[in-house]
Every structure is written in C-alpha cells, then in structure tokens.
Amino acid sequence: MNLDWGYFFSLFTMSAFYQACVTVITLSTLGWFFGLILGFVTACAKMSTSRWLNIPAGVFIWFFRSVPLLVVLVFVYNLPQLFPATGPFLGVPYFAGLVSLVVTEAAYMAEIHRSGLLAVGKGQKEAGHALNIGFLGIQRLIVIPQALRISMPALTNEYITAIKLSSLVSAISLPELLQTGQRLYSQNFLVMETLLAVAVYYVGIVTIFGGALQWLEKRWMCLLVSQTHSLMNNVMLYAKTQ
Amino acid sequence: MPERQAVTGKKTEKGQPPALQLMKIRKQFGEHEVLKKIDMNIGIGEVISIIGPSGSGKTTLIRTVNRLETLNGGEVVLFGEDFIKGGLSLNRQQVRSGMQRIGMVFQNFNLFPHKTALENIMLAPRYHGTTGNAELNRQQALFLLDRVGLLAHANKYPHQLSGGQQQRVAIARTLALSPDIILFDEPTSALDPEMVGEVLKVIQELAKEGMTLIIVTHEMDFALSVSDRVVMMEHGVVQADARPQSILKADNSTPELLRIREFMGIENTDAADSTRSEP
Ligand SMILES: Nc1ncnc2c1ncn2[C@@H]1O[C@H](COP(=O)(O)OP(=O)(O)O)[C@@H](O)[C@H]1O
Ligand SMILES: [Mg+2]
C-alpha cells in the first residue's frame, strides 16, 4: 500500500485546517464550560427536595444521556423549521453544534457533579451549621469547593470527550477538522492520507489542551489528596467510634 | 476542683437568667423515643459533663440544642429568651442571634479539608463580618491558634495535623465567633490515647476562664475534675445530676448516686462496702 506522503505533509501547512482547529477548540471548550455550569445547576436541581425541580432535572438527564449527540444535533439544527424565530441563532451550524454539545455534556456532567456533591460528608455541613452559616453559604464555602475537587478528574475527562464529539458537527456542515478533511478527499480521493492528518490534528489538540487542563487539575491535586486523606480518616474514625 | 467552686460561687448572681434552660425536651426517631422529657438548667459559667452509656441520647440532646435535630416537644430557652419551641418556628433573626451564641465541637472534628488551619478559623468570622477587616480577622485567628498551642501549624491542612491538633483547631474555630456556650460531643473519643490530654487541657482552660461548657464525655476523671455538675443519662432520661463532690462522697444514704458511681467506675466507699457485705 502506498500513501502519498507529500500530500499528507502538505496538509499541515494548510490554513483551512488551522482555522478548523480553532473551531474545534473553541467549540469544545465552550461546550465543556457551559456544560459544566448547566450540569451543576441540573445536579443541584436533581438533588433538591422540590418535585418541581428534581423531576424536570431527572428527565433532562435521562433524555439527553439516551439520545445520541448526532440526533440532537440534526434536530437542533432543524429547529428553526418549527420555530422560525430561532433561525438566526440555531440556523448557524456553530451555534446549533454548541447548544447540542452543551445539553449532552450537561446531562453527563450533572451525574458527575452529583456524585461529587454527595461525597462531601454530612459532618461538613453540620460544622457549617454550627458556625451559623446559612444554606447558601455552606454550599458556596464548604460543599461546592470540596465537591469540585472530588469530581475534577472526571470533569477533565469530559473535556477530551467534548473535543472528540465536536467532530459530529461535521454532519451539519460546520467546517471543523473532519468536515475540512471530507471536503478535500471528496475531490482528490486521498481518503487515508487526509484522515490520517485529521487524526494527527485531533491527537495534537487532545494532547495540548486536554494536557493543559489536566495540568491545571494537578495543581489542585495536592488538595485533592488531602481531601481523600481526610475522607479516609473520617471513615476510619467513624468505624473506630461506632 | 476547689478553685472551680470559688469561681462558680461568684458567677451565679441573682436576677440573671440561666445560660440555657431545657424544658421537657422530647425527641423521637420514628417509634423510638430517644429523649423523654429532659429538664436541665445550666447557669452562666457553669461546666456540665454529660455521661452515660452509648445510645442513651447524649449526642441527640446536644444536637437539639444546636438545632442539628428538630424537637418533638419541649422548649429551649437561651439566656432568658425563647430559642426553640417544639414544633413551632420562631423568628429567624432570633434564631440566628441565638445560634451565634452557641458553638459546637464534634467528635470527628469536621475541619474543612480544603482550608488550612488558619483559614478554617477565619471562615466563619469572614462570612458573618464579625471581626471587621481581613487583617483583623487574621490576627484574631492567629491569636486563637496560639491559644490552643498551634501557632506553628497555621498554614497546614487538616490532613497534615494529628487528631489532637485537629481537634484543637476545631476548638479555635468555634472560639472565633466568641460563643457564650460551647457544646462538646465526645471531643476526645476519636483520638489516640496519647492525644487526649492536650485536648482536655484546652477545654480545662476554657472552663477556668468561666466559659459555659456542656461536655459529653467518657473521660470520668476529667468530668469529675472540671465540672460543676455531672449529669448521667440513661435510656433518654436524666438518671442523676450531681456535683462531683456529692458523687465522690455518696454512700448508702444517697442511693440515687450509687448508679452513677458504678457507671463512673468509682470504688464504693467503706461504708457502702461494709453494709453490703454484712448480710
Ligand atoms: N438520625 C437518627 N435516626 C434514627 N435513630 C437515631 C438517629 N440518631 C440517633 N439515633 C438513635 O438514638 C439513640 C440515641 O443516640 P445518641 O444520641 O447518638 O446516643 P449517645 O450519644 O448517648 O450514644 C440511639 O439508639 C440511636 O440509634
Ligand atoms: Mg454520642
């Protein structure tokens, strides 16, 4: 089998690919970030004792975890047919892609946040209560910072997932990496060379940006270790005092 | 012990309401009645130790005082003002200012693991804005750390401290809001034996300074030496409530105190022994 290496290497000097990289990076970063926030709100709603909050949140998580992103994507992109008013926004492939990515990621990250929030011990909230700190203050100062440290590794993993999922947006003709490659090989038929280059671009993005996020996470890691340490200690203390 | 009585004598001034009055406190978990109409008065500056077998309701009792558990009946009056009424909700402001007067130290310390010792102490005053600016708050926190002998460990995280040190930070954290009453729930039960002393010493100093303390403990010698009164709970009722010297002196003329002596593991006096061995 012979590959056209000259062509392959030429793909790394093509500005269209670098623009596509920017699209992939911004799309997945924004998708991840808003997904993180929406996921957190959803997790809080699901944990709420109010039915008006926990049932819709449960349905949201259940639904968007079940429906493939590609289906969500095509659906969202075509929403303007039902609601013409959304046209200027959802008719744009980038925004349709972003919205789809956000809701899908939010559904996943809600579950990650929820397990993080549940992992913060009851005693922590009681200590806050004993210091006369109100419900919101306890969440803001005590529970959320600890929960985020617990769920951070899983959340950074989701960032890598988001980078890869963004390739699906090619289906609604957003010129991200895969789409840019597809346009090329549909003309020159050099499928293998083109996709190999696309793969290299993805590996580069995941390595650099996923790595950067993991590095940030590691800077928190010493605290994370302290977290698990004291969690373990508390478990042992509990066992000892029972 | 004598020193303690002198202080108490001065403190029980007439016309001043008690620090804490528990009236007919009832609490049940489902069918299980854990507190059965508990009555207790705690004077300002008084040190009360609560002892009793495991499951007798000691923890539940002090948790209701701190609103960590709701009441099924009865009232809690704090410095003469309504604080908790079983089933009723009092106005929020009253509850808040009452809560600020009560501090609590937990068996498992419950320090915030994502904050250093210093930050643990600074957190609540910053939240409440009680110590003015950040620098004053820091100074106060350092002062408190010094007071519990941990100034050198200000910037350590809880997991870097021993159990005894963590509990002392927890005491300092409670002191940061200048409470009038501090509740201790078995503050040394989770500690290795060699660390118990350092924590008890800090509590003893608070007692000497005239702080009102309610201490659930299994340290009998400590309870006898530090307390104005020792309360024994059993099956959700107060089985005995007596001054340490009454407990130490008790004999067959005070049969109600024999059970508490037995529980505390005090050898019976000659009198009690001889009468028992006679028949
Ligand atoms: N949250 C709870 N739910 C149900 N039962 C409880 C709860 N907390 C305590 N109890 C029960 O109440 C009784 C008294 O408990 P506790 O106050 O912890 O006793 P102590 O501190 O004297 O050992 C025990 O039988 C315990 O099982
Ligand atoms: Mg207990």
Side-chain angles (χ1 to χ4, degrees), chain B:
Chain B
M1 215 190 331
E3 176 183 3
R4 180 83 221 138
Q5 287 154 22
V7 179
T8 324
K10 237 183 291 165
K11 261 179 232 141
T12 38
E13 287 158 32
K14 276 180 189 150
Q16 225 172 358
L20 198 60
Q21 289 166 278
L22 310 185
M23 299 189 276
K24 295 200 167 57
I25 299 285
R26 280 199 320 105
K27 173 70 183 174
Q28 56 197 62
F29 292 110
E31 290 291 286
H32 184 183
E33 199 167 18
V34 176
L35 300 176
K36 302 165 184 164
K37 296 197 175 171
I38 302 275
D39 284 302
M40 208 183 283
N41 275 348
I42 293 128
I44 294 174
E46 238 185 335
V47 175
I48 308 284
S49 290
I50 301 180
I51 63 169
S54 172
S56 56
K58 309 178 296 293
T59 297
T60 308
L61 181 71
I62 63 169
R63 282 169 63 90
T64 57
V65 171
N66 208 17
R67 305 183 73 97
L68 282 170
E69 302 283 357
T70 53
L71 286 186
N72 294 106
E75 290 178 37
V76 177
V77 177
L78 190 65
F79 295 96
E81 285 170 25
D82 283 345
F83 181 53
I84 309 175
K85 277 191 176 173
L88 278 173
S89 56
L90 298 171
N91 98 44
R92 262 183 145 185
Q93 190 49 46
Q94 210 171 346
V95 169
R96 279 235 189 98
S97 62
M99 279 295 296
Q100 198 102 336
R101 304 184 79 165
I102 306 176
M104 178 149 176
V105 173
F106 298 85
Q107 192 172 358
N108 292 343
F109 334 132
N110 290 338
L111 287 181
F112 306 129
H114 60 302
K115 303 270 180 195
T116 62
L118 191 69
E119 290 166 344
N120 261 278
I121 301 172
M122 290 171 65
L123 187 133
R126 176 183 296 158
Y127 173 84
H128 293 290
T130 43
T131 24
N133 64 38
E135 186 48 32
L136 279 175
N137 189 13
R138 222 179 91 84
Q139 293 302 330
Q140 180 196 260
L142 287 169
F143 171 79
L144 289 170
L145 270 176
D146 193 24
R147 194 166 152 188
V148 297
L150 291 173
L151 194 53
H153 302 276
N155 294 316
K156 289 196 178 160
Y157 286 90
H159 79 280
Q160 298 170 306
L161 301 170
S162 73
Q165 291 170 331
Q166 289 189 52
Q167 192 59 298
R168 286 187 280 155
V169 173
I171 294 173
R173 178 176 72 176
T174 301
L175 290 173
L177 289 178
S178 320
D180 296 315
I181 302 174
I182 304 183
L183 313 171
F184 290 87
D185 186 13
E186 300 197 25
T188 59
S189 294
L191 299 178
D192 290 331
E194 69 271 19
M195 294 168 187
V196 169
E198 64 192 60
V199 172
L200 295 185
K201 198 172 140 248
V202 171
I203 300 174
Q204 199 151 25
E205 273 155 23
L206 294 175
K208 270 190 204 149
E209 286 164 27
M211 181 81 86
T212 309
L213 306 178
I214 302 175
I215 311 162
V216 174
T217 184
H218 286 302
E219 299 290 332
M220 299 306 173
D221 294 335
F222 174 74
L224 286 173
S225 73
V226 82
S227 322
D228 296 301
R229 273 157 49 210
V230 178
V231 171
M232 174 160 165
M233 287 185 64
E234 202 161 25
H235 307 303
V237 298
V238 172
Q239 201 275 339
D241 180 341
R243 302 173 77 82
Q245 52 292 35
S246 316
I247 296 170
L248 289 169
K249 269 189 259 157
D251 52 29
N252 281 1
S253 62
T254 50
E256 69 278 7
L257 293 183
L258 291 181
R259 171 76 184 112
I260 192 170
R261 281 176 66 93
E262 181 194 327
F263 182 76
M264 295 185 93
I266 305 169
E267 294 288 314
N268 274 328
T269 56
D270 291 341
D273 273 344
S274 57
T275 44
R276 196 171 285 173
S277 54
E278 258 171 22

